[in-house]
Amino acid sequence: EAHFLRAFYYWHIVEQFGGVTLTTEETSTPVLYRQRSPISAFYKLITEDLEFAAKYLPVTQSDQGRVCRKAAYHLLSRAYLTMANYCQMPDSMKIHLDCSDMTADLAPAYFRKALDAAKYLIDHQAELGVSLYENYADLFAPANNKNNKEALFIVSHSTIDALNPQRYPNRLHMWYQAKYDTYCGVSLNLKDGL
């Protein structure tokens, strides 16, 4: 599960910020200088972690919101697909993104690995407990919020019912919002965020 989570967070980091510093060791002293890591280093770690997670994660978990095998295969497919797309970028973009080592000749293998991971999900739907809804509206039905058979990874925001009851979305973001309803002419309403 830790391998999946590290891959999940590093995937978001590298896609949002590019090749920032990749570290796998605990930082226990002040660091005064960091060097940017190439995007390919991130994806090497991400795919290694996800391959491990896909192999060892259980098919189901007793606690809602815990990572299962289906989530690992999904993110693994997505990571390989992203790597293949980096490989197909023009060289001028690769230099700018510091991913010149992701050459076009690697793309077919990454596309194949993405397809293999996706096919695992498709071919093992019953075992993994996933399928598509017949009626598209069921995907967004409140009754299917936490037990959605199309969802591959469900994030439970809080175990405290007052913060995240089943019929309402997570409201923790409202705790850090400025209190503006006391200003003259401002009222509480959905349009303005409260």
Side-chain angles (χ1 to χ4, degrees):
E1 199 168 2
H3 284 271
F4 173 88
L5 291 173
R6 180 169 68 176
F8 179 74
Y9 293 124
Y10 267 134
W11 187 84
H12 282 287
I13 288 170
V14 73
E15 286 303 300
Q16 187 71 34
F17 304 107
V20 294
T21 301
L22 175 67
T23 182
T24 57
E25 307 263 329
E26 178 185 5
T27 303
S28 58
T29 59
V31 177
L32 302 177
Y33 176 77
R34 286 285 190 184
Q35 185 173 345
R36 293 178 71 89
S37 303
I39 289 173
S40 58
F42 279 87
Y43 277 99
K44 181 179 185 303
L45 178 66
I46 289 167
T47 54
E48 287 172 358
D49 277 348
L50 292 172
E51 293 277 359
F52 183 88
K55 184 176 180 180
Y56 292 106
L57 275 171
V59 172
T60 60
Q61 295 266 26
S62 58
D63 296 328
Q64 188 178 41
R66 301 279 304 269
V67 183
C68 300
R69 187 174 300 163
K70 60 188 176 184
Y73 274 101
H74 162 69
L75 191 55
L76 182 61
S77 179
R78 190 172 181 175
Y80 277 128
L81 191 59
T82 305
M83 291 171 72
N85 285 314
Y86 275 117
C87 291
Q88 293 185 328
M89 282 183 179
D91 289 339
S92 59
M93 288 182 69
K94 289 181 189 177
I95 291 169
H96 176 69
L97 293 172
D98 192 18
C99 63
S100 297
D101 55 342
M102 298 177 91
T103 56
D105 61 311
L106 298 173
Y110 293 147
F111 278 127
R112 170 57 53 197
K113 289 181 178 187
L115 178 63
D116 291 344
K119 276 191 63 57
Y120 182 89
L121 283 172
I122 294 166
D123 295 344
H124 295 87
Q125 290 180 57
E127 175 191 338
L128 297 171
V130 295
S131 64
L132 299 176
Y133 285 107
E134 299 261 341
N135 181 358
Y136 181 72
D138 291 339
L139 180 63
F140 301 102
N144 297 329
N145 182 26
K146 299 288 183 180
N147 297 311
N148 194 310
K149 65 182 184 177
E150 288 194 28
L152 300 173
F153 182 42
I154 294 174
V155 177
S156 292
H157 297 286
S158 176
T159 57
I160 302 168
D161 286 339
L163 298 177
N164 192 30
Q166 290 289 53
R167 63 184 192 274
Y168 297 113
N170 179 22
R171 297 186 311 252
L172 287 174
H173 67 282
M174 296 174 79
W175 288 33
Y176 300 101
Q177 185 174 5
K179 186 166 176 57
Y180 65 87
D181 63 322
T182 56
Y183 293 108
C184 181
V186 178
S187 62
L188 294 176
N189 60 71
L190 289 175
K191 181 182 171 205
D192 294 324
L194 278 180

